[in-house]
Amino acid sequence: MTDFAATKAMFDLPQGMTYLDGNSLGPLPRGAAARVAQTITDEWGQMLIGGWNRAGWMDLPRSLGDRIAALIGAETGHVVLGDTLSIKVYQALASALDMRPTRRVILSDTGNFPSDLYIAEGLCRTLGNGYRLKTVAPEDVAGAIDDSVAAVMLTEVDYRTGRRHDMAALTAAAHGLGALTLWDLAHSAGAFPVHLAACGADFAVGCTYKYLNSGPGGPAFIYVSPRHADAARPALSGWLGHEAPFAFALEYRAGAGIDRMRVGTPPILQLAALEAALDVWNGVDLNDLRSASQALMDQYIAGVEAACPDLILATPRNHGARGSQVSFRHPQAYAIMQAMIARGVVGDFRAPDVIRCGFTPLFIDAGDVARAVDVLAGIMQNRLWDNPAYQTRAKVT
Ligand SMILES: *Cc1c(COP(=O)(O)O)cnc(C)c1O
């Protein structure tokens, strides 16, 4: 059994705070500050440009990619880090469209994260030629796949409701009709076991600053199935995706396999933080993580429903149909979340009316959940949210 008390001790959490927002920005792993300081002082400071070779900086996007591959059921050697998730969505989507040149539709759902949809729209505009993004309700995706669809682009777990798509079934349905799949694992990687290879996924992307705790601005990752790795054309053909970057050839020739999805210089300080963050996962069994997160979510749902009848559950109760977050709806969701934060329970508000909490067993336990339920119950029963101080919206909600 995974020792979650031990993993909790590996994070530096502020005294008195119950942090139910690790699904949005993971907390600081204790090892990260020292690892980043070491990279700055010993590597950048002492080696300067020699760090690219001597400290192995140039290999980090691939070596850390292999460690993430192990967490998402991907083949070793087929995940690479770099850029942000929005950029990786663009790259993967452009490659998928290029592989289905006679088809014009990107199929997604209305629960997808806006950035993914905006990127798809922008790509369609750039390509012209009748390319279009079609969105349907999350439950209707399977029925909307037809032979006009080039790529089915889905975020596995709905950021707002926590509803989880059936990756194996939808991938099989897409393949049955000749479409490719792009899975966004933003709310999956580090949240529960993912089985990309077993599901036959074509492309996948995800970020590292949510459940993987790499810190604000940590790089994203991209996976391309070994079936396509040497065929996918990288739309962002940067020099580090070239077969021989240091030959400085005038013409682009795509590198082998996943290396072609690299674009430019990797963010070494963020990768150092990610390396320390991934150490936390060394003794973690993802099945234990999943059972623990389900138990925490069940405890939270039962506690909140018993004490707060005005809050409406937006997340599936069925274990298989949800990710690792729970959302309740209420017209005053924003003010309620502000009142929770003021009392040391940090989750987030998602427009228009969602109170969202992430359950991350690496550092959240049953005691934290009991405290969160108590605080929320006190706020609802005493209308503590009804305070002008909780109505003003900050730039980042
Ligand atoms: C968090 C998130 C993003 C954020 O993209 P960035 O480029 O890292 O800002 C994109 N898509 C999904 C589904 C997300 O959950």
Side-chain angles (χ1 to χ4, degrees):
M1 272 301 281
T2 304
D3 181 354
F4 289 113
T7 60
K8 185 168 186 164
M10 295 172 88
F11 288 92
D12 213 353
L13 296 158
Q15 270 295 322
M17 183 190 287
T18 299
Y19 192 66
L20 301 180
D21 222 351
N23 54 318
S24 221
L25 176 67
L28 174 65
R30 284 190 196 281
R35 181 72 188 82
V36 172
Q38 183 200 355
T39 303
I40 291 177
T41 319
D42 301 352
E43 299 179 4
W44 180 18
Q46 294 305 310
M47 300 177 192
L48 288 100
I49 201 165
W52 290 108
N53 289 317
R54 283 170 59 203
W57 290 344
M58 202 47 105
D59 300 327
L60 282 175
R62 281 288 301 278
S63 60
L64 298 185
D66 283 343
R67 293 177 68 182
I68 290 175
L71 298 173
I72 56 175
E75 299 87 343
T76 303
H78 291 275
V79 173
V80 74
L81 286 145
D83 316 299
T84 75
L85 180 50
S86 303
I87 302 285
K88 279 351 216 183
V89 168
Y90 182 93
Q91 274 187 296
L93 195 54
S95 295
L97 296 184
D98 196 53
M99 290 169 64
R100 290 292 178 273
T102 61
R103 298 177 176 219
R104 288 290 177 273
V105 175
I106 299 164
L107 178 65
S108 191
D109 74 64
T110 51
N112 205 345
F113 191 76
S115 197
D116 298 41
L117 300 176
Y118 302 161
I119 289 280
E121 256 180 56
L123 177 58
C124 288
R125 265 201 306 278
T126 303
L127 293 172
N129 249 325
Y131 277 97
R132 69 187 182 95
L133 168 67
K134 178 178 175 183
T135 52
V136 298
E139 312 74 47
D140 297 339
V141 171
I145 306 171
D146 61 27
D147 63 11
S148 70
V149 175
V152 179
M153 175 187 82
L154 297 170
T155 297
E156 186 184 14
V157 175
D158 188 309
Y159 76 103
R160 214 186 261 124
T161 64
R163 179 189 183 280
R164 181 182 176 186
H165 279 298
D166 184 336
M167 182 187 286
L170 286 169
T171 300
H175 289 172
L177 288 158
L180 295 169
T181 54
L182 164 54
W183 288 99
D184 188 328
L185 305 179
H187 304 280
S188 309
F192 48 77
V194 176
H195 305 289
L196 284 179
C199 290
D202 300 289
F203 295 88
V205 293
C207 45
T208 60
Y209 55 79
K210 291 174 180 163
Y211 291 90
L212 296 175
N213 314 308
S214 72
F221 63 84
I222 183 167
Y223 162 83
V224 181
S225 163
R227 296 188 303 280
H228 310 311
D230 288 318
R233 192 181 65 83
L236 298 174
S237 39
W239 73 303
L240 289 186
H242 191 279
E243 140 193 300
F246 289 90
F248 298 108
L250 290 182
E251 328 69 48
Y252 181 80
R253 285 192 311 277
I258 196 67
D259 273 332
R260 64 182 54 193
M261 292 298 166
R262 295 178 67 157
V263 182
T265 304
I268 299 305
L269 301 183
Q270 293 278 179
L271 286 165
L274 173 62
E275 187 169 32
L278 289 173
D279 287 344
V280 176
W281 294 90
N282 286 342
V284 175
D285 178 320
L286 289 171
N287 293 310
D288 292 346
L289 180 90
R290 181 61 164 163
S291 329
S293 104
Q294 296 286 14
L296 296 174
M297 288 189 284
D298 286 344
Q299 179 193 349
Y300 177 72
I301 292 171
V304 173
E305 288 192 322
C308 315
D310 293 346
L311 298 181
I312 307 301
L313 183 66
T315 300
R317 287 176 205 280
N318 180 326
H319 283 190
R322 67 190 186 193
S324 199
Q325 59 164 79
V326 174
S327 297
F328 280 95
R329 294 188 190 277
H330 189 281
Q332 292 295 335
Y334 184 81
I336 294 167
M337 181 49 71
Q338 294 309 303
M340 287 171 73
I341 293 170
R343 288 161 183 79
V345 178
V346 178
D348 44 27
F349 161 77
R350 282 293 172 263
D353 60 354
V354 165
I355 299 162
R356 183 180 78 170
C357 291
F359 295 86
T360 46
L362 293 188
F363 57 89
I364 289 297
D365 56 29
D368 296 315
V369 174
R371 172 151 182 260
V373 169
D374 274 355
V375 165
L376 182 52
I379 290 167
M380 295 312 295
Q381 287 159 10
N382 304 301
R383 292 179 62 94
L384 299 177
W385 51 265
D386 196 1
N387 174 336
Y390 300 146
Q391 301 289 345
T392 321
R393 296 203 185 184
K395 187 165 177 192
V396 176
T397 64

